[in-house]
Amino acid sequence: MLTPTTIFEVLLAAYGPQGWWPVGVGEGDGRAAAYHPLDFAVPRTDSERFEICVGAILTQNTAWRNVEKALVSLHAAGGVQPSALLRMPDQQLADAIRPSGYFNVKSRRLRVFTEFYLLLAGSAPTREELLKVWGVGPETADSMLLYAYGRLHMVIDAYTRRIFSHLGVISETATYDDVASVCEAELPRDVPVYQEMHALLVAHAKRYYQRLPYDDPLFPQVSSETNRKNEV
DNA sequence: AACCAGGACGTGA
DNA sequence: TCACGTCATGGT
């Protein structure tokens, strides 16, 4: 029976450390300028933390490449920082993040979150506090906690569900908390492991889980069996 | 040319 | 609780 830890080890061996979360988008060539492979222990600066939180909201149901475009224009429009963001007129903000899609909702969510972020005054929010913020759901909250604040919260996204479900680790009807429990009960309770786990799952899913039937070369035995089940 | 991206929220059963 | 519609641009 496959476990999250086994999957983690296989993925890490196959792809190496991913160094998420990408920060520094828009400062250099317009792509992620400062991935931190093998450098997880470095505490995030305040500006990195905010950029990660903004990215977490912008990437809701959206390809990261589109988020990069949004972050680049946000940066050009005065920088990805709380004061600058709140100063921007609605029109300008929505315009800057247009490429990331849902620009009307997301500009509202960014404002609401930024107000909350400033109230924190540098301290880390709890998960409960984050979930009360309008526009921040479970995945966005856990992304912020894990990558911006270095807290031990597993991030469960569509890719995680897809891979785990395909490999038989969870059922198709598992809730967000179900999947998180499976991971947190079995994986080493280590922040870099959680960060890498999620990043590796995304990297892997982008290669082999885009379209049915899934064919996973890293776990071939499970792959054929599940596909057969899906065809019935 | 449909389909999907590192979701969240509002609504009606 | 839960299924479903909505929000929207951009790549395959």
Side-chain angles (χ1 to χ4, degrees):
Chain A
M1 184 59 176
L2 276 173
T3 65
T5 302
T6 303
I7 294 172
F8 171 74
E9 287 166 353
V10 170
L11 295 181
L12 184 61
Y15 302 120
Q18 303 297 299
W20 273 24
W21 189 282
V23 292
V25 181
E27 290 168 10
D29 57 3
R31 298 188 62 83
Y35 282 78
H36 291 173
L38 302 176
D39 202 16
F40 315 100
V42 175
R44 300 295 189 183
T45 66
D46 184 62
S47 89
E48 283 178 332
R49 273 203 303 276
F50 186 68
E51 180 182 335
I52 290 169
C53 293
V54 169
I57 289 173
L58 291 180
T59 199
Q60 291 169 350
N61 200 36
T62 300
W64 182 255
R65 90 167 42 76
N66 293 339
V67 176
E68 284 184 330
K69 294 176 186 173
L71 286 174
V72 167
S73 38
L74 259 188
H75 194 268
V80 184
Q81 41 183 324
S83 54
L85 193 150
L86 290 178
R87 253 196 316 272
M88 294 175 69
D90 286 339
Q91 182 67 273
Q92 189 188 355
L93 180 55
D95 217 44
I97 66 171
R98 178 175 296 270
S100 71
Y102 310 111
F103 50 85
N104 288 313
V105 242
K106 283 179 179 174
S107 54
R108 231 180 308 138
R109 288 177 186 175
L110 285 179
R111 280 190 196 288
V112 170
F113 175 79
T114 302
E115 299 281 5
F116 169 77
Y117 181 87
L118 286 176
L119 285 178
L120 292 172
S123 63
T126 66
R127 188 171 197 265
E128 290 67 37
E129 288 172 332
L130 280 172
L131 290 177
K132 286 181 197 161
V133 179
W134 183 83
V136 178
E139 183 186 338
T140 305
D142 288 333
S143 294
M144 292 175 177
L145 289 167
L146 180 61
Y147 290 107
Y149 292 96
R151 312 305 286 268
L152 199 67
H153 292 264
M154 188 62 197
V155 177
I156 309 301
D157 60 14
Y159 286 145
T160 309
R161 296 169 170 285
R162 199 174 295 176
I163 294 178
F164 279 16
S165 165
H166 181 244
L167 299 183
V169 177
I170 60 167
S171 71
E172 288 86 352
T173 57
T175 67
Y176 187 101
D177 292 333
D178 290 340
V179 185
S181 296
V182 169
C183 292
E184 294 173 1
E186 204 261 335
L187 282 174
R189 308 188 66 74
D190 184 52
V191 168
V193 168
Y194 278 33
Q195 294 182 337
E196 277 304 310
M197 179 63 167
H198 176 235
L200 286 165
L201 286 169
V202 173
H204 187 51
K206 279 180 174 171
R207 287 171 178 72
Y208 303 111
Y209 288 80
Q210 296 285 18
R211 202 172 298 272
L212 287 164
Y214 304 137
D215 180 26
D216 192 331
L218 295 185
F219 305 95
Q221 71 290 5
V222 186
S223 183
S224 55
E225 203 173 307
T226 306
N227 283 335
R228 216 168 289 133
K229 219 184 310 176
N230 289 341
E231 287 166 9
V232 173

